Amino acid sequence: MGNDELILLNYWPSMFGARVRIALEEKGLDYEYREEDLLNKSPLLLQMNPVHKKIPVLIHNGKPVCESNIIVQYIDEVWYDKAPLLPSDPYQKAQARFWADYIDKKLYDSGRKITFHKNKEEAEEGKKEVLEIFKVLEGALEEKPYFGGENFGYVDISLIGFYMWFHAYETCANFSIEAECPKLMAWVKRCLERKTVSKSLGDPKTVYEIVLKFRKKLGLD
Amino acid sequence: MAEVKLFGSWGSPFSRRIEVALKLKGVEYEFIEEDIYNKKSPLLLKYNPVHKKVPVLLHNGKPICESVVILEYIDETWEGPSILPKDPYERAMVRFWVKFLDEKCFPAMWQACWSIGEEQEKAKEEATEFLKILEGTLSGKKFFGGDSIGMVDIVANFIAYWFMILQELAGIVVLTKEKFPKLNEWMNEYLNCSIIKENLPLKDKLTAVFQARFQAVAVAAAAAAPSVK
């Protein structure tokens, strides 16, 4: 592909940024990683994502691509000759997009109810919603090793970054994801065995500490 | 038995998006009208158990759900005018604006019409902000897709038609010719395309349904409001 310049603007605890890191690793691409301070966003980030001012942003030869799942699809389409992330069959592709969309629509907001709950009721509500989402996802997984079947792919990439937040969810709402969703945790462990994934995920305990810091800052605790 | 079936609703902009796409590609399909407000059919619930919504495309017995997912599927499955561009970077841009429309513009514009008081003011401000951003992308282009309509134009259908009807009924002023000259020009070109024009719900019918809902909302709000003495 010649001399491609790739820069990833990210914030390491982000479950969305993790998607892009994993995709880049899966394709074996060299890129420059830049950590953003979300309380002090760089001029580059604001210039490259003026609409949302959010990470992750992938800058490819000076041109920005924003929105994590859109970036993953872009990476898959540009570097189509290795490690395909989406299925080639249009129907299977549609199913993959459907599930990535489901994860995007539901999980973050419900998870946030847990970590940034204002009261016990909200945390409980968040926990119920998250468990319901996990149950639906376990149903979609069926008895397959990965959401796409035999191969690790787009839906797995879409979801696995949330693992960084599992310890925070469990501690803030007092439950065990392993106990409630063993099939999902088996899938998590399978994904973590991949170097591309373990390299791209930060420590869940540190994520929880960050949650506590923010809770204090927001006056929730 | 038809190879392609579409579960939809006459008034839904999401459902109409799919009809436009299928017609663009010259695909014959059987349309199944769903009564989405009163009683959804067992088939719809079977084919879309997760969201229980229209539209659902059934191709050779296999369901595809979520309008944006369906649009990409249609583009990949059938020959004909392209709904998405071929270049990966341009595709990423299209997907970005489609997401912006559905996740930012639509909810804010919908809220601006159906909420009241402070919530409505906030929604109106947000909607205006988002529309300004959209206006900025139209510089020198007839359509969002360039010379012909593409996925962004198809997804922006609610702005050109549904919202224009709703904002008048709601008595709010958000999208005007003066504030958004480029969007206004786009709307005229867009609604003039035969494939769009011929696939819109009747204005009178839509107005009647919206008016009934406004009345129902007003009645509910009056019943819930504390009496001021």
Side-chain angles (χ1 to χ4, degrees), chain B:
Chain B
M1 191 183 105
E3 198 185 308
V4 182
K5 294 189 193 188
L6 175 64
F7 292 83
S9 173
W10 69 271
S12 158
F14 305 99
S15 174
R16 292 284 174 172
R17 291 172 181 179
I18 310 308
E19 296 205 77
V20 165
L22 289 169
K23 294 210 161 101
L24 251 176
K25 298 284 194 182
V27 177
E28 293 209 2
Y29 62 98
E30 181 192 333
F31 184 81
I32 297 151
E33 179 70 38
E34 284 284 331
D35 182 0
I36 55 176
Y37 293 116
N38 296 317
K39 195 178 166 98
K40 292 171 181 176
S41 76
L43 270 183
L44 177 66
L45 301 177
K46 170 184 163 187
Y47 290 129
N48 193 357
V50 174
H51 298 299
K52 304 176 176 56
K53 286 180 173 179
V54 295
V56 176
L57 186 75
L58 203 66
H59 187 202
N60 294 327
K62 301 201 286 191
I64 302 117
C65 309
E66 288 301 298
S67 67
V68 171
V69 175
I70 301 171
L71 288 174
E72 293 227 27
Y73 176 80
I74 290 171
D75 202 37
E76 285 160 14
T77 304
W78 286 284
E79 300 284 313
S82 288
I83 294 171
L84 279 108
K86 298 278 179 266
D87 172 68
Y89 191 77
E90 282 175 43
R91 288 164 77 82
M93 291 299 102
V94 163
R95 287 176 180 141
F96 177 89
W97 290 113
V98 160
K99 191 168 183 182
F100 180 74
L101 279 164
D102 269 357
E103 289 182 13
K104 297 287 182 189
C105 295
F106 185 91
M109 291 167 81
W110 189 254
Q111 255 304 67
C113 294
W114 294 102
S115 57
I116 52 168
E118 215 179 290
E119 214 184 309
Q120 185 174 46
E121 285 314 304
K122 188 165 169 241
K124 277 165 69 181
E125 265 171 46
E126 266 196 351
T128 304
E129 191 194 312
F130 296 149
L131 285 168
K132 279 208 180 99
I133 293 172
L134 219 54
E135 170 95 356
T137 70
L138 276 169
S139 293
K141 291 197 292 184
K142 192 171 168 187
F143 299 109
F144 290 103
D147 292 325
S148 51
I149 63 165
M151 188 158 163
V152 181
D153 301 277
I154 295 173
V155 166
N157 63 352
F158 69 89
I159 297 179
Y161 195 71
W162 281 260
F163 183 71
M164 296 310 284
I165 296 171
L166 263 174
Q167 83 169 344
E168 198 180 319
L169 292 175
I172 60 166
V173 177
V174 172
L175 180 44
T176 63
K177 190 174 171 180
E178 293 73 35
K179 274 202 271 177
F180 301 98
K182 294 205 185 90
L183 269 172
N184 188 67
E185 233 178 274
W186 166 78
M187 282 195 287
N188 290 333
E189 293 283 357
Y190 184 67
L191 295 174
N192 222 19
C193 291
S194 53
I195 200 152
I196 299 297
K197 204 161 39 176
E198 289 157 17
N199 288 294
L200 290 168
L202 289 170
K203 189 173 177 191
D204 292 340
K205 205 174 166 190
L206 207 57
T207 301
V209 167
F210 283 147
Q211 253 165 355
R213 275 179 78 176
F214 272 117
Q215 268 158 25
V217 167
V219 165
S227 47
V228 179
K229 280 281 185 291

Side-chain angles (χ1 to χ4, degrees), chain A residues 51-52 63-67 70 73-74 77-78 90-91 93-95 97-99 101-102 104-105 136, chain B residues 50-51 62-66 69 72-73 76-77 88-89 91-93 95-97 99-100 104 133:
Chain A
V51 176
H52 300 299
K63 299 204 295 189
V65 186
C66 307
E67 294 297 306
I70 293 173
Q73 288 183 82
Y74 174 77
E77 286 172 12
V78 173
Y91 185 74
K93 209 183 270 194
Q95 295 315 299
R97 289 193 175 119
F98 174 87
W99 286 112
D101 173 74
Y102 174 80
D104 263 359
K105 276 186 164 80
V136 170
Chain B
V50 174
H51 298 299
K62 301 201 286 191
I64 302 117
C65 309
E66 288 301 298
V69 175
E72 293 227 27
Y73 176 80
E76 285 160 14
T77 304
Y89 191 77
R91 288 164 77 82
M93 291 299 102
R95 287 176 180 141
F96 177 89
W97 290 113
K99 191 168 183 182
F100 180 74
K104 297 287 182 189
I133 293 172

